[in-house]
Amino acid sequence: MKSLREYIAEACKIMPIVLILAFLLAPGLCMADVSVSLDAAPNRVQTGDVFNLTVTVSGSGSADDIQLRGTNGLQVGRPGQSSRTSIVNGRIDRSITYTYGISAPKTGTYTLGPAIVTIGGKQYNSNTVRLTVDPLGEIKGRENDAMFFTAEVLPKQAYAGQDILCRVRFYWSIPLRDIQFEGFPDMENLEFAQIGDSRQFQKTVNGKTFNVAELVHQVIPSATGDYEIPPLAVKAEVIKSSGRPSRFPRGFFDDQFFGNEQVVKTRVLSEPVSFSVKALPTEGAPGGFNGLIGRFSIQADLDPKEVKAGDSATLTVTLSGRGNVQLLPDLDLPPLPGVKVYPSDPQLEDNRDGQGPFGKKTMQWALVPQAEGDVAIPAFSVPYFDAASGKYEYARTREMNLHVLPGVVHAAPAPIQEMQVNSASKHRVQMLGEDILKIQETPKAVAPGMGQTMPVWLGFLIMVFPFLPLAGALIIRSGGKKRAEQAGARASKKAYAAFAKSVKDMGPDKSVEAFRALQEYLALRLGLEAATLTSHEAEDKMLAAGVDQESASCLKQVFSSLETCVFSQCGSQFSQEVRQELLDVVRAVDKKVKV
C-alpha cells in the first residue's frame, strides 16, 4: 500500500500536465462570441476614387467564405487580411480584418452590405453602410486660391491669315500629381496645333509663389467671324492628409495604399475666352501683296562695293520680322547690263516662341561684272499688312552702286575649229569649251583598237566588288543586333539585383535617388529606351508584361508614393523600414514579369 508521501509525489508529476491542459482549454471557455462588422472609409467619395471596405470577424478564426452584398456597379478588388489578438482579464479577443479596395466609376448612393461570413458551416451577417459617390470636383480657381487655370488668346482682334495663339497656364501651390490638360474641344472652323513642348517654371502672384505649367497652341481659323473657346480643364490629384496613423514616416509612401494620405481628384476650369477674325481690307491693297501679315524689315548688303572687272561681289538681301514668316517671298534680281548673275537658293529660318512665329529669309547673288564702270543695284520692295496699325506697309531697301575697276575678263568661248576625221569627209565642229579631261582632237581618237573589250573575269570582278562591303556590313549588323538582343535579355533578368544593390545602402535622405532607381529598374526590366514613366504608364507596362492586376496596382501605388514625395519635396524620409517595403513590392512584381 502506497504511503501518503508517494501519492503526493505522483500528484506533483502530473500537475504540470493538468495546468497546461487547463491553459489550452481556457481560451475556448473564455472566447468572445462571434460577430461581424462592416465599415467603409471614407463613406463619401468622387467618381474614380478608391476607398477601403473592411469586414472584421471577431471571436473566431479565419472565415471559410465571405459574400458582399450591395456592390453591384462597383469595382471590387481582392481582399487583404490582417489579424489581432488581445487578452483582457482572462478573456481572449481575436479578430481578423479583410480589407477590400473598391472603386466607384459612377455617381450615386449605394447601400453596402450585409457581409455574409461563413465559419464552420454557420453564417453570420454584418451591418450595412451607406456610400455616396459625387461627381468629380470642378472648381474655377482665382489668383488667391491654391490652384487656378487661365487661358489667353493673342491677339483678340485678328485678321484672316494672321497667326493667333492660345496660351494656357495652370498654377498650383499645394502637393499635386498626375496633372493632365484635357485639350481643346471640337469647334467649327477652328483647329488647334501645339507649339513646342510644355514649359514649367515658378511665378509669384499677389505675393504667393506658384508652380506653373504652360502650353502654347496655334489657333487656325478657316473663316472670319466671332469665336468663343469654352472653359478649358485640367485634371489633377490633390494629396491630402487623412489623419490616420501609419507605421511609415510622414511624408513618404503617403497615399491610400499605405493608409496615411488621401488622394482627391480635382478638375480645374478656366474662364471662356473670345476673339474675332476679320477679313483684310481691300482698300489700299498694293500690287504684289501675297498675304504677308505682321511687321517686317529688309536689309541689303553688297560686299565688296568695289571690284575689278572679272571678279565677283556678293549681294545679300535679308527679310526678317514677326508674323506669318512662312509667306516671306523669294525676291528676284532684275537683269544687270554687263554683269553675270549667279543666284543661290533662298534660306528660310522659321521660329516660334510664346508670342508667335518670327524668322527671316536670306537671298544671295554672286555678281561678276564684265567691264569697268558703275553698276546700279536697284532697290527691293516687299508689301505687307501691319495688323497693329491696320494698314498696308512696305519694307524697302535703298539703291546701291557697284564700282568696277579695270581688270582681266575671262576669255570668251573658243572659236570654231575644224577636226579632220578622214580624207573622205569634213565636219565643222564648234568647240564650246574643254572638259576636265583633255578632248582628243585627232583621228587617232577613233582609230581601231581604242574600244577593245576587257576580259570577262575582270568585268565581273568590277561589277561585284562595290557590293562586297555592303554584304559584309549587313552580316556584321545582323550579328551585332543579335548580340545586343541577347545582352538586353541578360540585363533584364539582372534588373532586380541591380536595383536592390543600389537601394540597399541608401540613407534616409535618398528618396529622390530611390525614385530614379525605380524608374531605371522598370526601363531595364521591360526593355524601354528611357526611364521617364508615370505611375499610370508603369501599371500599363506591367500588365503588358504579364503581371497580374493586383501586383501591377501595388507597384503603381508605390511608384505614385515615391513620385509624390519627390515632387512635393516632402523631405528625407527613406527609412530602413520603408526601404524594405519597397524592395518587397518590387521583388514580388519582378517574379511575375514575362518579358
Side-chain angles (χ1 to χ4, degrees):
M1 187 173 181
K2 294 182 180 180
S3 64
L4 179 61
R5 180 176 295 180
E6 289 175 337
Y7 280 113
I8 294 175
E10 291 179 358
C12 290
K13 290 180 181 179
I14 66 173
M15 185 61 68
I17 299 176
V18 174
L19 293 175
I20 292 173
L21 290 175
F23 179 79
L24 294 175
L25 293 174
L29 299 174
C30 301
M31 184 72 70
D33 295 335
V34 176
S35 64
V36 180
S37 63
L38 186 68
D39 183 43
N43 60 6
R44 192 178 192 99
V45 296
Q46 293 179 326
T47 54
D49 285 350
V50 177
F51 65 95
N52 291 333
L53 184 67
T54 58
V55 179
T56 302
V57 181
S58 301
S60 178
S62 300
D64 299 326
D65 181 60
I66 299 178
Q67 296 180 14
L68 294 177
R69 299 288 177 86
T71 58
N72 292 337
L74 301 176
Q75 298 174 355
V76 183
R78 294 176 60 185
Q81 180 177 325
S82 62
S83 60
R84 184 180 67 87
T85 302
S86 63
I87 303 176
V88 180
N89 297 327
R91 181 183 180 86
I92 298 180
D93 288 329
R94 289 181 179 176
S95 64
I96 298 180
T97 300
Y98 302 87
T99 302
Y100 296 83
I102 298 183
S103 175
K106 295 182 180 180
T107 59
T109 301
Y110 300 82
T111 299
L112 305 180
I116 303 175
V117 179
T118 303
I119 302 174
K122 186 176 180 180
Q123 290 186 340
Y124 301 88
N125 293 348
S126 74
N127 57 300
T128 61
V129 293
R130 195 174 184 83
L131 173 72
T132 302
V133 181
D134 298 322
L136 188 65
E138 291 187 351
I139 63 173
K140 288 188 176 180
R142 301 296 187 269
E143 292 185 354
N144 291 326
D145 296 335
M147 54 184 169
F148 60 94
F149 188 38
T150 65
E152 180 182 19
V153 173
L154 298 173
K156 294 184 178 297
Q157 301 285 337
Y159 291 91
Q162 183 179 0
D163 279 271
I164 305 171
L165 300 181
C166 182
R167 180 171 58 205
V168 295
R169 285 181 174 177
F170 179 57
Y171 298 74
W172 75 96
S173 60
I174 56 176
L176 299 180
R177 70 183 185 192
D178 287 347
I179 302 173
Q180 298 179 14
F181 174 52
E182 291 187 355
F184 290 88
D186 292 332
M187 298 185 64
E188 186 177 1
N189 299 327
L190 279 187
E191 292 184 7
F192 302 91
Q194 183 174 330
I195 299 175
D197 298 325
S198 61
R199 189 168 68 99
Q200 293 192 18
F201 54 94
Q202 287 190 330
K203 185 178 179 64
T204 301
V205 180
N206 296 334
K208 187 176 183 180
T209 301
F210 289 87
N211 298 305
V212 184
E214 177 186 85
L215 277 174
V216 178
H217 287 73
Q218 182 182 6
V219 184
I220 308 171
S222 59
T224 59
D226 296 327
Y227 295 91
E228 180 178 273
I229 301 176
L232 305 176
V234 164
K235 293 190 298 185
E237 294 183 353
V238 182
I239 305 165
K240 295 183 177 181
S241 174
S242 65
R244 292 177 291 176
S246 171
R247 63 190 181 94
F248 294 105
R250 177 169 176 79
F252 200 91
F253 286 0
D254 291 342
D255 62 8
Q256 292 176 332
F257 180 69
F258 295 99
N260 194 39
E261 292 293 330
Q262 180 183 4
V263 176
V264 179
K265 294 184 178 180
T266 306
R267 191 167 181 261
V268 186
L269 303 180
S270 71
E271 297 290 344
V273 288
S274 301
F275 66 99
S276 63
V277 179
K278 56 185 178 181
L280 291 170
T282 56
E283 183 178 355
F289 176 71
N290 70 336
L292 190 61
I293 302 176
R295 184 165 291 179
F296 299 91
S297 63
I298 188 171
Q299 181 178 352
D301 181 63
L302 186 61
D303 183 35
K305 294 181 173 58
E306 183 178 89
V307 296
K308 293 181 179 181
D311 291 343
S312 67
T314 301
L315 173 64
T316 303
V317 177
T318 303
L319 265 170
S320 61
R322 184 176 288 276
N324 51 353
V325 294
Q326 67 276 6
L327 294 183
L328 287 171
D330 295 341
L331 300 180
D332 294 323
L333 179 65
L336 302 177
V339 179
K340 290 185 177 181
V341 179
Y342 302 92
S344 299
D345 292 334
Q347 302 295 321
L348 175 64
E349 295 182 18
D350 187 354
N351 303 299
R352 294 176 182 272
D353 58 16
Q355 297 181 357
F358 66 96
K360 64 180 180 179
K361 176 172 282 190
T362 302
M363 291 146 283
Q364 287 187 332
W365 297 265
L367 309 180
V368 183
Q370 301 298 298
E372 63 177 299
D374 289 331
V375 178
I377 309 297
F380 291 90
S381 177
V382 176
Y384 66 92
F385 183 78
D386 188 344
S389 64
K391 298 179 180 179
Y392 291 96
E393 304 287 351
Y394 281 91
R396 306 176 191 269
T397 66
R398 293 181 299 174
E399 184 177 295
M400 292 182 293
N401 185 70
L402 175 62
H403 184 61
V404 184
L405 302 175
V408 179
V409 179
H410 297 295
I416 297 175
Q417 299 182 10
E418 292 186 358
M419 184 168 64
Q420 186 73 28
V421 178
N422 56 48
S423 58
S425 63
K426 288 186 178 180
H427 296 278
R428 188 172 297 273
V429 179
Q430 182 178 4
M431 299 293 292
L432 299 179
E434 293 189 355
D435 201 350
I436 296 176
L437 298 178
K438 182 65 178 177
I439 297 177
Q440 301 295 329
E441 302 178 1
T442 66
K444 183 179 179 181
V446 293
M450 291 300 292
Q452 292 181 358
T453 60
M454 67 179 69
V456 175
W457 66 269
L458 181 59
F460 178 77
L461 181 61
I462 292 173
M463 293 176 61
V464 173
F465 182 77
F467 298 98
L468 293 179
L470 177 60
L474 291 175
I475 294 173
I476 294 173
R477 180 181 179 185
S478 176
K481 183 177 180 181
K482 185 176 181 180
R483 287 193 296 273
E485 291 175 350
Q486 292 173 347
R490 289 194 297 269
S492 175
K493 296 296 184 183
K494 298 179 180 179
Y496 176 75
F499 169 76
K501 183 178 179 181
S502 64
V503 173
K504 179 180 178 182
D505 298 325
M506 286 184 179
D509 59 342
K510 299 297 183 181
S511 57
V512 174
E513 287 76 1
F515 176 62
R516 292 173 179 170
L518 180 59
Q519 285 191 319
E520 291 172 0
Y521 160 77
L522 292 173
L524 187 60
R525 188 69 176 95
L526 301 178
L528 305 177
E529 294 183 358
T532 54
L533 298 172
T534 65
S535 58
H536 294 289
E537 291 171 340
E539 182 183 29
D540 293 340
K541 296 294 184 182
M542 287 289 106
L543 293 173
V547 178
D548 59 273
Q549 179 65 59
E550 182 181 5
S551 299
S553 297
C554 289
L555 180 68
K556 174 188 175 184
Q557 297 290 352
V558 173
F559 192 101
S560 298
S561 302
L562 280 167
E563 186 179 42
T564 299
C565 183
V566 171
F567 291 108
S568 62
Q569 300 178 353
C570 61
S572 56
Q573 302 293 342
F574 195 59
S575 67
Q576 182 177 357
E577 186 179 14
V578 170
R579 179 167 57 251
Q580 187 59 48
E581 188 75 21
L582 173 61
L583 289 170
D584 291 343
V585 172
V586 175
R587 181 171 60 249
V589 171
D590 186 81
K591 294 179 179 179
K592 299 178 181 180
V593 175
K594 299 179 181 179
V595 176

